[in-house]
Amino acid sequence: MAEHNIVVRDSGGRSVSIEEANGRGKPPKRNKYAIACAILASMTSILIGYDGGVMSGAALFIQKDLKISDTQIEIVNGIINIVSLLGAPMAGRTSDWVGRRYTIVIAGIIFFAGAILMGFANGYALLMVGRIVAGIGTGYALMIAPVYSSEVAPSSSRGFLASFPEIFINTGVLLGYISNYGFSKLRLDLGWRLMLGIGAIPSAILAAGVMAMPESPRWLVMQGRLGEARKVLCRTSDSNQEAEERLADIKEAAGIPLECNDDVVQVVKKRSSGSGVWKELVIHPSRAVLHILIAAVGIQFFQQASGIDTVVLYSPRIFEKAGLETSDQLLLATVAVGFMKTITIFISTFYVDRVGRRPILLSSVGGMVVSLTTLATMLEVINHHPDEKITWALVICIAMVLCFVGSFSMGLGPIAWVYSSEIFPLRLRAQGASLGVAANRLMSGVNSMTFISLYKAITISGAFYLFASVAAVSWVFFYVLLPETQGRTLEDMEVLFGSFHRWRSTAKKLRNNSGDAPCTNVPGSSEKQQETA
């Protein structure tokens, strides 16, 4: 076959000529419109991060002002994550009913109400009501932001854009820590209320700004609005050809005939909602869907089971156990954690579509295991010398906390959202993603509501040895069961999944489809299906 007749898939999933694949064509630039859409959608996540980060310092002042116990602090810290278990599935159904865009608006409104309630709380009961309302908003935002970003993104930058929610979560955490330090100078009863209540401002701005976004093209197709979907795809794809290919893939997944090109069509069966979805997803899943479900729920479970939210919420207590004494020292060290957590996430953001999900993920979790083990060891050394300040151990503890949050943010943090939002087929995506969020929030809530009790029972070093063990188990899980999804289109994931630990043989078959040798000069060809014209 003549070379000019060969067509391959590039790392973005586009059909390109062999000349372009071999470097005679330039790779597409980042789609600025898609980036803008993903940024707006992901800004919801600032509110999630802020609510978590601000409570780490605010809890110190709330406990003094309201005279509440450690157990009550655990509950007020963790309740937002437990309640988000309700918000995530609610968001899944809402996003299918009213669309992804209006679901993001609803999340902003809920956050606004929660911030107002917390800011004006005159006691523990009203504070809890505000946290419960904010928890519902958290479930909404955690589910919808990565789903929208992955659905609007071209394949060439799907990992880049779908990691935006985690960037904004970390930004929110950092802003919460800074708010702690800034408002800590005010009088006791005013400072913590301003820390919590000021979250209403970005909520209102977000709810208004999101209206400038287009609706998800996949949701539009599911409603039979093909003309609108085509316009959005043309603006968010790297080329018109890719836009048509994406539209064809979505139509096929939605059960719409490929030859049907009217602007508005009748969709007889809404395959993305109803009891049939849950039956296919949970009750009688195919091998591929079962593998996808295990991977999505597993990566979200381990993201939180390794203890990240305990560090975010309780870092002042951890640093106090390590030897820091004054409130200023504790809050400044916590701000350093926020900076590290925010800066390191850009490693994943800019390299996840170049290097792939698995190498970054496995490196990230490996760093978490080492840092958690070292942190636990240093805390044990300090615990054995309660009457003296061991400066070198304190310094190592601070460094290991920074290494832990840095390792988490460079990989497991953002990749969990990228991976779980991109592997589900269209008909199962909203509900499937909501199950992953539910697992994530359940473990976050359990850790948040039990950490103080846990370290009192087994010592704080024992708690971190436990988290290190969980992280080590997660590394094995990821290595064995999670295929590389770099460069895959959203609609062909079911081909890759289904063989569980033997997924590598499936990937090899895809690389050598129809007996063709892989083109080694094609970026991402190690994971893309080769085609011949």
Side-chain angles (χ1 to χ4, degrees):
M1 182 178 294
E3 181 179 89
H4 67 272
N5 287 330
I6 298 177
V7 177
V8 297
R9 294 276 193 182
D10 72 356
S11 60
R14 301 179 304 131
S15 294
V16 296
S17 67
I18 194 69
E19 289 87 350
E20 182 179 353
N22 280 324
R24 290 189 282 275
K26 294 182 178 180
K29 296 181 179 179
R30 299 282 191 191
N31 187 299
K32 294 180 180 178
Y33 184 73
I35 291 174
C37 293
I39 288 174
L40 277 173
S42 302
M43 284 180 66
T44 315
S45 304
I46 286 182
L47 309 175
I48 303 171
Y50 185 85
D51 275 345
V54 77
M55 279 303 295
S56 68
L60 301 176
F61 305 104
I62 291 171
Q63 192 166 19
K64 292 178 183 178
D65 186 30
L66 301 183
K67 305 296 189 297
I68 57 179
S69 66
D70 282 345
T71 300
Q72 288 174 303
I73 284 294
E74 284 182 319
I75 294 172
V76 79
N77 274 336
I79 193 66
I80 195 169
N81 297 313
I82 296 297
V83 175
S84 66
L85 292 170
L86 300 175
M90 288 168 62
R93 297 304 299 270
T94 303
S95 68
D96 282 338
W97 289 338
V98 303
R100 309 330 192 197
R101 183 176 61 163
Y102 284 110
T103 302
I104 296 172
V105 174
I106 292 171
I109 293 172
I110 296 172
F111 271 119
F112 179 86
I116 292 296
L117 288 169
M118 289 186 288
F120 286 96
N122 58 2
Y124 185 73
L126 189 55
L127 177 62
M128 283 293 295
V129 172
R131 294 290 284 175
I132 289 170
V133 172
I136 296 174
T138 296
Y140 264 76
L142 282 170
M143 180 266 163
I144 195 59
V147 167
Y148 178 90
S149 297
S150 66
E151 290 186 347
V152 79
S155 298
S156 60
S157 57
R158 188 175 64 242
F160 173 71
L161 298 186
S163 66
F164 277 18
E166 187 70 13
I167 293 177
F168 284 102
I169 287 176
N170 287 350
T171 302
V173 169
L174 175 59
L175 292 175
Y177 290 159
I178 293 173
S179 175
N180 287 154
Y181 185 75
F183 291 121
S184 66
K185 310 302 179 183
L186 301 177
R187 72 173 191 262
L188 183 62
D189 63 329
L190 179 62
W192 68 264
R193 288 181 171 88
L194 283 175
M195 293 175 192
L196 299 177
I198 202 171
I201 296 176
S203 303
I205 296 172
L206 172 70
V210 166
M211 297 308 297
M213 293 163 35
E215 184 50 82
S216 158
R218 286 179 170 79
W219 184 81
L220 291 171
V221 171
M222 295 302 295
Q223 307 307 305
R225 294 155 62 177
L226 301 186
E228 295 176 59
R230 183 178 286 106
K231 291 178 182 178
V232 175
L233 287 169
C234 286
R235 297 194 69 181
T236 59
S237 299
D238 293 330
S239 67
N240 289 335
Q241 180 182 352
E242 185 193 8
E244 291 300 325
E245 290 175 353
R246 289 173 68 188
L247 180 60
D249 287 340
I250 299 169
K251 285 164 63 178
E252 182 179 4
I256 299 173
L258 297 180
E259 64 274 10
C260 185
N261 292 309
D262 295 337
D263 285 347
V264 179
V265 300
Q266 184 69 32
V267 180
V268 177
K269 183 180 180 181
K270 301 292 181 65
R271 296 171 61 183
S272 64
S273 62
S275 59
V277 169
W278 292 110
K279 182 177 180 180
E280 184 177 355
L281 185 64
V282 178
I283 301 174
H284 297 296
S286 64
R287 283 179 60 86
V289 171
L290 179 60
H291 187 182
I292 289 172
L293 185 63
I294 291 172
V297 173
I299 195 171
Q300 292 286 8
F301 170 86
F302 282 117
Q303 191 209 53
Q304 290 300 325
S306 55
I308 185 62
D309 272 6
T310 61
V311 174
V312 171
L313 284 170
Y314 296 105
S315 52
R317 287 178 181 259
I318 296 169
F319 292 133
E320 185 178 23
K321 292 289 184 182
L324 293 183
E325 297 171 352
T326 68
S327 294
D328 274 358
Q329 289 177 337
L330 295 173
L331 294 178
L332 281 173
T334 302
V335 170
V337 171
F339 272 110
M340 176 63 78
K341 199 170 187 297
T342 303
I343 291 170
T344 50
I345 193 174
F346 289 99
I347 296 174
S348 174
T349 301
F350 289 105
Y351 288 98
V352 68
D353 284 318
R354 301 179 186 180
V355 178
R357 281 59 161 158
R358 279 175 56 85
I360 297 177
L361 179 63
L362 295 175
S363 300
S364 165
V365 178
M368 291 166 58
V369 173
V370 172
S371 55
L372 284 170
T373 303
T374 308
L375 173 62
T377 303
M378 291 301 102
L379 288 170
E380 183 67 17
V381 170
I382 293 169
N383 188 51
H384 276 77
H385 300 82
D387 298 326
E388 60 179 298
K389 186 174 182 178
I390 307 176
T391 304
W392 65 269
L394 168 61
V395 171
I396 294 176
C397 281
I398 295 174
M400 288 303 101
V401 170
L402 296 178
C403 287
F404 171 64
V405 298
S407 297
F408 176 88
S409 290
M410 68 166 272
L412 181 55
I415 288 177
W417 300 111
V418 172
Y419 202 90
S420 60
S421 66
E422 71 181 353
I423 60 178
F424 283 102
L426 174 62
R427 64 190 181 278
L428 308 175
R429 186 164 299 134
Q431 285 82 358
S434 71
L435 287 178
V437 172
N440 182 287
R441 292 298 89 191
L442 177 62
M443 282 312 305
S444 177
V446 169
N447 282 341
S448 302
M449 297 179 77
T450 61
F451 180 68
I452 297 175
S453 301
L454 178 67
Y455 78 65
K456 286 181 177 179
I458 64 173
T459 74
I460 194 163
S461 59
F464 283 106
Y465 277 129
L466 177 62
F467 293 140
S469 301
V470 173
V473 172
S474 74
W475 192 96
V476 176
F477 176 87
F478 300 148
Y479 182 82
V480 173
L481 287 176
L482 269 59
E484 178 60 70
T485 58
Q486 177 194 20
R488 297 286 179 193
T489 62
L490 292 176
E491 277 65 41
D492 70 359
M493 291 296 178
E494 285 181 278
V495 178
L496 186 61
F497 286 83
S499 51
F500 296 95
H501 66 280
R502 296 187 297 273
W503 62 266
R504 290 171 182 79
S505 61
T506 303
K508 184 177 181 180
K509 290 177 182 178
L510 287 173
R511 287 197 301 267
N512 298 283
N513 186 45
S514 302
D516 294 331
C519 179
T520 57
N521 292 322
V522 182
S525 65
S526 62
E527 297 296 337
K528 295 303 300 177
Q529 177 179 353
Q530 307 298 308
E531 297 180 359
T532 56

